[in-house]
Amino acid sequence: MQDTGNIPDASAVARREMVDRQIRRRGVSSPRVLEAMASVPRHEFVPAEFQRDAYADKPLPIGEGQTISQPYMVAAMAEALELTGTERVLEIGTGSGYQAAVLSLLAREVITVESHTALALSAQERLTDLGYTNVHVHNGDGSAGFPDAAPYDAILVSAAAPEIPHVLTGQLRERGRLVIPVGSRQNQELVQARKENGELKSRVLFDCRFVPLLGRYGWGRPGGESL
Ligand code: SAH
């Protein structure tokens, strides 16, 4: 996508405001996370008709019935992964690729899995065009994780699961972090879990609302009915 000359400056100002008003004010304090949120051009990740709202305090449609999460949610989830820059991270539910781009600035490598082929292809193209070279998009059912590149230092599930898919525990390194919305199809709690002595120790962060994780360890087959 070709920007006209003044859009980058205007968008940088909008991002700073987004960080101050929506994210810092609600309690996200990690300087690295705030900097990443101020850097990634969210307007490049939303469809043209929603670009005016790219920095607004809400999720937006990205096609195929899916959404790009609210900026605050992206920041809070990233902070909960406690990344220092050396990690390999797995994201499940690439969507637009926005969250993956934010994570790519906070970790060494991001592997992200998306079950919608059209979304996976456009996210990979967008991330490459924007220069996020340490993100790798895979098309498939991520509810069982991505064993080929395991273990991971951190795993983020960007869609709502009925429970923590326990297969993910095996793909997480000892002391690794898992962040996942868990609950019903309508309402969930954002859970942060840490692997200690081979087992997950989890705590609830806050209530949230995500589109459902489909597939084998989610709510049924991608594109199919719930179990
Ligand atoms: N993180 C995304 C938003 C995720 S929305 C962003 O920044 O834009 C949740 C995504 O999870 C949707 O794109 C949906 O297609 C995907 N999804 C749902 N079930 C999945 C599964 N089993 N495996 C991989 N992706 C899945």
Side-chain angles (χ1 to χ4, degrees):
M1 194 177 305
Q2 204 66 46
D3 275 340
T4 60
N6 61 355
I7 285 180
D9 286 338
S11 78
V13 172
R15 278 195 295 283
R16 282 286 166 201
E17 275 186 16
M18 171 189 86
V19 167
D20 287 340
R21 294 185 188 166
Q22 302 172 31
I23 300 174
R24 200 196 311 267
R25 200 173 284 181
R26 288 199 183 105
V28 173
S29 61
S30 157
R32 296 182 73 240
V33 170
L34 297 174
E35 212 35 62
M37 295 300 296
S39 154
V40 178
R42 186 171 158 96
H43 63 278
E44 299 280 9
F45 291 82
V46 302
E49 64 264 41
F50 297 111
Q51 287 204 353
R52 291 171 65 94
D53 274 346
Y55 298 100
D57 191 13
K58 55 185 179 186
L60 292 170
I62 54 170
E64 314 288 345
Q66 306 303 325
T67 54
I68 178 173
S69 307
Q70 177 193 23
Y72 165 71
M73 188 63 68
V74 172
M77 292 195 297
E79 184 171 58
L81 292 176
E82 299 174 9
L83 302 171
T84 63
T86 58
E87 297 84 358
R88 293 176 66 249
V89 180
L90 174 67
E91 183 199 25
I92 298 163
T94 316
S96 67
Y98 175 69
Q99 175 94 57
V102 170
L103 296 176
S104 80
L105 299 180
L106 300 169
R108 179 161 58 86
E109 187 184 9
V110 179
I111 288 124
T112 178
V113 187
E114 169 58 52
S115 51
H116 266 290
T117 305
L119 290 176
L121 290 173
S122 60
Q124 180 69 82
E125 191 181 331
R126 182 179 295 122
L127 289 160
T128 304
D129 286 353
L130 292 171
Y132 295 102
T133 53
N134 59 339
V135 182
H136 307 285
V137 182
H138 294 274
N139 181 208
D141 177 10
S143 72
F146 190 70
D148 295 10
Y152 304 97
D153 301 293
I155 300 178
L156 174 59
V157 183
S158 289
E163 56 190 32
I164 296 180
H166 278 286
V167 65
L168 297 182
T169 313
Q171 295 176 33
L172 197 59
R173 227 185 262 287
E174 180 66 16
R175 294 182 184 283
R177 283 80 58 200
L178 167 67
V179 172
I180 179 170
V182 179
S184 68
R185 268 182 172 248
Q186 283 74 35
N187 293 292
Q188 307 92 34
E189 293 175 327
L190 191 68
V191 173
Q192 184 210 39
R194 188 184 308 272
K195 187 166 171 178
E196 287 173 16
N197 302 319
E199 287 184 16
L200 289 184
K201 298 270 184 294
S202 61
R203 68 184 179 114
V204 172
L205 299 179
F206 49 78
D207 291 344
C208 58
R209 228 191 137 152
F210 279 78
V211 297
L213 178 74
L214 301 176
R216 184 164 174 199
Y217 294 94
W219 294 96
R221 299 204 158 277
E225 293 303 308
S226 60
L227 290 171

